[in-house]
Amino acid sequence: MNLVTPDKILATPVSELADQSSVSLFRLKNDAADFLAAAKAIVEHIDRALDLKYVDRAHQLRLAASKDTGVVHFDDGNVRVTADLPKKVEWDQKKLADLVRRMTANGDNPAEYVEISYRVSETKFNAWPETLKSAFAPARTLKTGKPGFRLALLQE
């Protein structure tokens, strides 16, 4: 099968692709990965150009609006530019845990102020003794992700 363009591949029914040889599927998958890598590189390159072109103008508009982050809009010729500088807040987990302990010790309910979640490393869980595992097992739900397949040519 000699599909060369993404449009041709997408127009081919999945059942027809599945009938192809493993070597053909290997080549299609590698070609698609190459297309994806190239597209991502192109988008990143253009994004760097947009940043270079508009970062100062967007910064000035945010300053005028007395904000450090967020969305600003402006026109550049016939193009409406929406510049978004999202906020990314990170919290120190150890300091938060200490604050939650102090709040609890003072009789406050930290759940009114702080979202608390618990996680267990699957690697650690699997290494636990059965007595500990059995206590935690009712709180554990196993879900599966999307299946994936890797192809490698053994010989040409």
Side-chain angles (χ1 to χ4, degrees):
M1 183 171 199
N2 198 8
L3 297 176
V4 291
T5 68
D7 289 339
K8 284 185 181 179
I9 293 170
L10 290 172
T12 304
V14 172
S15 59
E16 193 177 313
L17 285 174
D19 287 339
Q20 297 303 308
S21 72
S22 57
V23 171
S24 292
L25 290 170
F26 169 81
R27 289 192 177 120
L28 289 172
K29 179 85 171 174
N30 279 348
D31 289 348
D34 291 344
F35 280 131
L36 181 60
K40 284 181 178 181
I42 291 167
V43 167
E44 287 176 18
H45 195 64
I46 293 168
D47 283 345
R48 285 192 299 271
L50 291 171
D51 186 57
L52 184 64
K53 183 175 184 88
Y54 296 125
V55 70
D56 291 335
R57 191 164 174 192
H59 178 69
Q60 292 304 319
L61 288 170
R62 280 191 201 91
L63 282 178
S66 300
K67 59 184 188 176
D68 297 323
T69 60
V71 176
V72 291
H73 307 277
F74 55 91
D75 295 336
D76 184 5
N78 291 332
V79 175
R80 178 69 162 178
V81 178
T82 299
D84 185 11
L85 183 60
K87 231 184 250 191
K88 185 176 179 186
V89 178
E90 294 180 4
W91 293 90
D92 183 305
Q93 297 301 298
K94 289 182 181 183
K95 289 179 181 176
L96 283 177
D98 183 51
L99 288 166
V100 166
R101 279 191 293 277
R102 283 193 279 167
M103 291 174 77
T104 303
N106 289 334
D108 292 324
N109 180 4
E112 292 180 19
Y113 308 99
V114 180
E115 291 179 22
I116 300 173
S117 66
Y118 299 99
R119 288 181 286 151
V120 175
S121 158
E122 189 66 10
T123 304
K124 290 180 181 178
F125 176 81
N126 288 326
W128 290 351
E130 284 304 318
T131 53
L132 189 56
K133 275 187 187 179
S134 63
F136 277 76
R140 181 178 175 266
T141 302
L142 176 65
K143 296 180 180 179
T144 60
K146 180 181 175 189
F149 301 92
R150 284 197 261 305
L151 305 175
L153 283 181
L154 299 175
Q155 292 180 324
E156 276 289 336

